């Protein structure tokens, strides 16, 4: 469902969130390669899986944008860490916490205020996933600081909302209700 044309704030926030999620997607893939080189195979897997969750968020936001084929300049915050995996993980934690504490609560409230149901759902999905991402990246960093890889078997991502869980997918996604079989395994 397209946005009402007058709701420029929600529309702007959707563009910005699309930009931020798109960059996060690529950045996590870059950091996955760097983690792999440092011998952190599982941390690399975590980055790769969460990169997919950010892609899900970007796609969700994109579909809610009331857009046409004209240019649109997007301003979106980003982290540019190119150092060690421990430092990159700090960048990841900072980015996720910014989304959890500032960005998505503000965007979500704007969408609610403007009665934009689709944007509200898209921001809600992202907010719930970013909380988990911040926590998982913190666990990864705790291990990496001791020179150890993170302990995990696999990572599962809900392709509808980006919900992220270690080792086994739930019967039903707690955020969007998607079935277990739909989760993508990394
Ligand atoms: Fe995200
Ligand atoms: Fe995230
Ligand atoms: Fe979900």
């Amino acid at each position: 469902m397209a946005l009402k044309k007058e709701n420029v704030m929600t529309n702007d926030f959707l563009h910005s969130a699309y930009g931020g999620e798109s960059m996060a997607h690529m950045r996590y893939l870059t950091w996955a390669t760097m983690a792999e080189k440092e011998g952190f195979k599982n941390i690399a897997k975590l980055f790769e899986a969460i990169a997919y969750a950010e892609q899900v968020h970007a796609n969700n936001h994109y579909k809610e944008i009331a857009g046409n084929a004209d240019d649109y300049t997007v301003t979106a915050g980003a982290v540019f860490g190119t150092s060690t995996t421990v430092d990159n993980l700090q960048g990841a934690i900072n980015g996720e916490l910014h989304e959890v504490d500032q960005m998505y609560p503000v965007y979500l409230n704007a969408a609610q205020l403007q009665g934009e149901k689709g944007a509200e759902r898209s921001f809600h999905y992202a907010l719930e996933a970013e909380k988990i991402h911040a926590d998982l990246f913190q666990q990864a960093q705790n291990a990496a600081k001791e020179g150890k890889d993170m302990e995990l078997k696999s990572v599962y991502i809900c392709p509808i909302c980006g919900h992220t869980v270690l080792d086994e997918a739930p019967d039903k996604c707690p955020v969007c209700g998607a079935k277990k079989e739909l989760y993508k395994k990394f």
Side-chain angles (χ1 to χ4, degrees), residues 164-180:
T164 303
V165 62
L166 296 187
D167 298 338
E168 209 193 326
D171 287 336
K172 225 176 86 177
C173 173
V175 179
C176 77
K179 284 187 193 143
K180 185 187 189 111

Side-chain angles (χ1 to χ4, degrees), residues 29-136:
L29 291 179
T30 303
W31 285 346
T33 310
M34 293 167 79
E36 184 98 47
K37 273 191 192 141
E38 280 185 64
F40 298 126
K41 265 190 158 42
N42 288 342
I43 293 175
K45 189 191 284 191
L46 183 72
F47 272 132
E48 213 184 300
I50 293 182
Y52 173 66
E54 312 308 5
Q55 184 184 347
V56 169
H57 296 159
N59 282 335
N60 285 344
H61 298 335
Y62 196 96
K63 287 185 214 148
E64 297 300 332
I65 287 172
N68 49 39
D70 294 339
D71 283 355
Y72 196 106
T73 300
V74 172
T75 307
V79 179
F80 290 88
T82 52
S83 181
T84 63
T85 291
V86 169
D87 285 345
N88 293 341
L89 283 165
Q90 190 59 52
I93 294 162
N94 294 348
E96 298 285 347
L97 287 178
H98 170 74
E99 290 179 301
V100 171
D101 296 333
Q102 304 269 334
M103 183 178 130
Y104 280 125
V106 171
Y107 289 4
L108 183 58
N109 271 281
Q112 282 166 345
L113 182 76
Q114 299 197 311
E116 295 292 355
K117 292 281 173 216
E120 183 183 337
R121 185 180 56 236
S122 197
F123 293 147
H124 164 67
Y125 283 174
L127 174 59
E128 292 311 308
E130 318 308 5
K131 290 175 190 169
I132 299 167
H133 296 170
D135 182 58
L136 290 173

Side-chain angles (χ1 to χ4, degrees), residues 45-46 48-53 152-157 184-186:
K45 189 191 284 191
L46 183 72
E48 213 184 300
I50 293 182
Y52 173 66
L152 60 84
K153 290 198 273 295
S154 38
V155 188
Y156 287 85
I157 308 288
K184 190 170 157 90
K185 184 186 180 182
F186 289 83

